[in-house]
Each structure stands twice: as structure tokens, then as C-alpha cells.
Amino acid sequence: MKTLNIVFMGTPDFAVSTLKTLVEHNYNIVGVITAPDKPAGRGRKLNESAVKQYAVSQDLKVLQPTNLKDEAFLAELKALNANLNIVVAFRMLPKVVWNMPELGTFNLHASLLPNYRGAAPINWAIINGETKTGVSTFFIDEEIDTGEMILQEKIEIEANENAGQLHDKLMHLGSELVLKTVKQIEAEAVKTSPQIENSDLKTAYKLNRDNCKIDWSADIQAIHNKIRGLSPYPAAWCVLQNGDDALDVKIYEATMELESHEFETGTIQNTKKEIKVAVKGGFINIHFMKLPGKRNMQAKDLLNGYEFKSEAKML
């Protein structure tokens, strides 16, 4: 059995579950690397990452480098004498960092690699209508998310599941997979396999304003998948043309009503009680929507104080 001295690298809530699992199984965490504190809110108060908050609560040593190639940081990292780095939802590492420990650096990725390499694997799996996804552990190498695979675990994606719900399921599944991976490394029983490359691989592109916009000319299933794949964050958006107003609105939850109709695509129907948008193959019935400067509201509450004109349309 190998004695492990682990440096853990991560920033958001997704990573906390794994760090917590390692601590609760009494692994020796010699250091935690996380993002620097960021000013947030109107008071510009410094906001600590979720990983830092948990690490501090466990009296773990925390390093928050702005530059991962900084000589002072590298000296401090080396002084921790770690023989294994574990990365969960962190940034790209330079070779000098991932190559430092004797047993290497492995990463947890929230997809069934080699599919959905990149920044937003949970979102894109739903947007693309996948019915299965999972988590993978792999050793980091020169490229992004391409290293030798260690372990993988699959999970079903439910028909109406959104990205937030899937995130939480994968967070717990991932922490268990990291634990299994660490136990294999500890027992010197790791078997790796190369990722199989092919021309049909799907990519988890970074989310931006353009790729979060709803295309109302797409088919009904694709629109539904985009809304749930971007909920609750950053949220799918579109332009609501209501009389002279052209408003950027965010849509957080909707259901499909499959039926044939002759309404123009994007037009809003039945605005007294619900917000239904005519699309190819039926209607998207919006349950939660946010107007500019307002909070996210249930459709029936929004309709109490906001009037859709007869020619209102989603663009």
C-alpha cells in the first residue's frame, strides 16, 4: 500500500463534495489549491470559493495563486511534499504543476470521456438530448481532458431533468468515483486505458450569450432541451417583442405540448393563464421566466402584473 499525501485542487460546490469525501475517509490532504477571493456584490466584499470555505473549516492549508507558474507558489507547492494531485473543477494546469507529484495528477470530469471535453459538459449533455452521461477520472497530460482514462461511471438523464439537478447527481457520483480511484492508486492497482478518438466526438463548449439564446425555429424537443440544459444557470434567453418593447428575458422552466397547429413560430398564445409559445411540433409552455430587472417568476404570478399584447412574440 502506498502512503498518499494529497494536494486537492478545486473551486466550486461541485468540488467540495469530493474534498469532503476524502477528508471523511481520513486521507492526508497536505494542501488545497483554489481560486483567489473575488470581490462580489455592491459592497465589493471579497467572496471566498466554496472549496476554500470548506478547507478552512477543516483546518487544511489553503493556497490561492493568481499565477500557477509563479516561482514562489511553485516552491510552496513543492514544499508540501505531495505524491498525488487531485483536480475537480479547477483551471488548466501547467506541466510544472501536474508533473510534480510522483504518482501524477488525476482529474474528475463530469462526462463520459472522450465525449464532452471542455468547460460545460453537464449543460451540453442535456442541450444535445443525451439520455446517459456520467463521470470519468483520468491522468492529466499535455492536452485538455485527453489523458489516460482510469475509471468511469454512467448515469441516466431523466426526460425533464435540468442542469442543476444533474449537477447534484454527478457531484455525488463523482466524489465516489474519486474515492475508488484513490483506493486503486493507494493499492498500486491502477489500470489505465487511452481515450478512443473518433470523428463523432461531442464538445462541451464554453457557454456564452450566443449559444445560450433560444432559436424558436428549432424543433420543440431541441428548444425544451436548451431550456433545461441551461437551468438554473446561466439560463436560456430570448427577446420578447411585446408591442414597442423588445425585452431580453430568461426562461428557467418549461414543458412541451405536442400538437399540430397553424400559428406563426414564436407567437404567444393563451396569455390570460399561461405563457405558451408556438413552435414546430406544438407549444412550449413556460412555467418560470424572468423579465429584465425583475426576479424569476412563475408564469401565473408574472401574468398578474404584466400584459402580453395580442401580437406578442418570442424572437
Side-chain angles (χ1 to χ4, degrees), residues 116-278:
Y116 297 107
R117 293 170 177 157
I122 298 172
N123 307 91
W124 283 106
I126 295 178
I127 291 168
N128 288 339
E130 304 288 357
T131 56
K132 287 186 176 68
T133 186
V135 284
S136 308
T137 52
F138 67 94
F139 283 111
I140 288 179
D141 66 7
E142 305 277 359
E143 304 297 324
I144 296 175
D145 301 337
T146 59
E148 291 269 317
M149 292 284 305
I150 310 169
L151 293 172
Q152 232 173 34
E153 193 82 45
K154 291 183 182 176
I155 197 169
E156 301 281 332
I157 302 176
E158 304 299 329
N160 292 307
E161 195 163 30
N162 70 26
Q165 292 161 336
L166 184 58
H167 167 282
D168 291 352
K169 280 163 60 173
L170 291 174
M171 178 173 71
H172 297 300
L173 191 69
S175 63
E176 292 303 314
L177 194 70
V178 166
L179 186 61
K180 285 183 193 171
T181 304
V182 168
K183 284 180 176 175
Q184 282 195 3
I185 293 170
E186 189 178 34
E188 300 180 73
V190 170
K191 290 191 173 81
T192 62
S193 57
Q195 295 187 37
I196 309 299
E197 300 288 338
N198 66 63
S199 58
D200 298 326
L201 291 183
K202 294 166 184 167
T203 303
Y205 301 104
K206 191 172 182 180
L207 297 174
N208 58 41
R209 183 171 166 81
D210 288 343
N211 60 30
C212 290
K213 188 173 191 290
I214 297 168
D215 175 7
W216 293 102
S217 68
D219 71 73
I220 190 167
Q221 185 70 62
I223 296 168
H224 184 239
N225 290 344
K226 175 157 269 191
I227 291 167
R228 64 194 187 93
L230 294 168
S231 180
Y233 182 83
W237 73 280
C238 66
V239 175
L240 165 61
Q241 188 72 51
N242 191 26
D244 293 332
D245 294 336
L247 307 173
D248 286 1
V249 298
K250 290 186 173 184
I251 299 173
Y252 291 86
E253 186 183 313
T255 49
M256 298 182 292
E257 294 182 10
L258 304 175
E259 59 181 274
S260 56
H261 63 78
E262 294 183 356
F263 294 112
E264 187 184 346
T265 295
T267 54
I268 298 169
Q269 314 299 317
N270 302 341
T271 57
K272 297 283 186 225
K273 294 181 180 175
E274 44 189 12
I275 306 168
K276 289 170 64 169
V277 185

